[in-house]
Amino acid sequence: MQELVAAYEAGATVYQLADRFEINRRTVGEILKRQKVKTRWQLLTEADVDEAERLYAQGLSLARIGKQLDVSGGAVRLRLLRRGVQLRDRHDRS
């Protein structure tokens, strides 16, 4: 476990660690959580979701919004859907 934590803190991703230790990426996350390691991912605040909604309405893609907010486009998509935002057809991306 300490080797996994040290590698994560040195910059390895959860996916890289899962491959290296031959475990599921979720297991890596659980180990990091149990070891109280501060993870690099972050949750979107309500203010972030407000900003994401504004940017999306202006035509930015989910990926570009995610990049601006330092999260994945999938995280932005999920939060906008939960808020009830009607998403564009994928071919309308900026």
Side-chain angles (χ1 to χ4, degrees):
M1 265 193 283
Q2 294 301 5
E3 185 180 347
L4 184 144
V5 169
Y8 181 80
E9 290 176 337
T13 68
V14 170
Y15 292 94
Q16 291 168 335
L17 293 172
D19 287 342
R20 178 174 167 186
F21 292 95
E22 298 179 348
I23 57 178
N24 188 286
R25 67 177 174 77
R26 291 184 182 130
T27 304
V28 173
E30 290 169 9
I31 291 168
L32 295 173
K33 184 177 179 179
R34 280 196 308 265
Q35 296 295 312
K36 298 184 183 344
V37 174
K38 185 174 181 349
T39 54
R40 291 186 288 268
W41 65 79
Q42 64 180 6
L43 300 176
L44 291 171
T45 65
E46 285 305 311
D48 291 334
V49 180
D50 292 342
E51 178 70 359
E53 187 173 1
R54 185 183 69 74
L55 293 171
Y56 191 75
Q58 290 179 353
L60 268 70
S61 69
L62 297 172
R64 287 184 188 215
I65 295 167
K67 189 171 183 174
Q68 282 190 338
L69 298 176
D70 198 27
V71 296
S72 70
V76 173
R77 179 182 180 279
L78 180 63
R79 290 299 302 274
L80 291 179
L81 286 172
R82 283 184 186 164
R83 187 171 273 193
V85 173
Q86 181 70 38
L87 299 183
R88 296 185 293 271
D89 181 285
R90 289 181 171 224
H91 300 292
D92 290 341
R93 288 192 253 177
S94 308

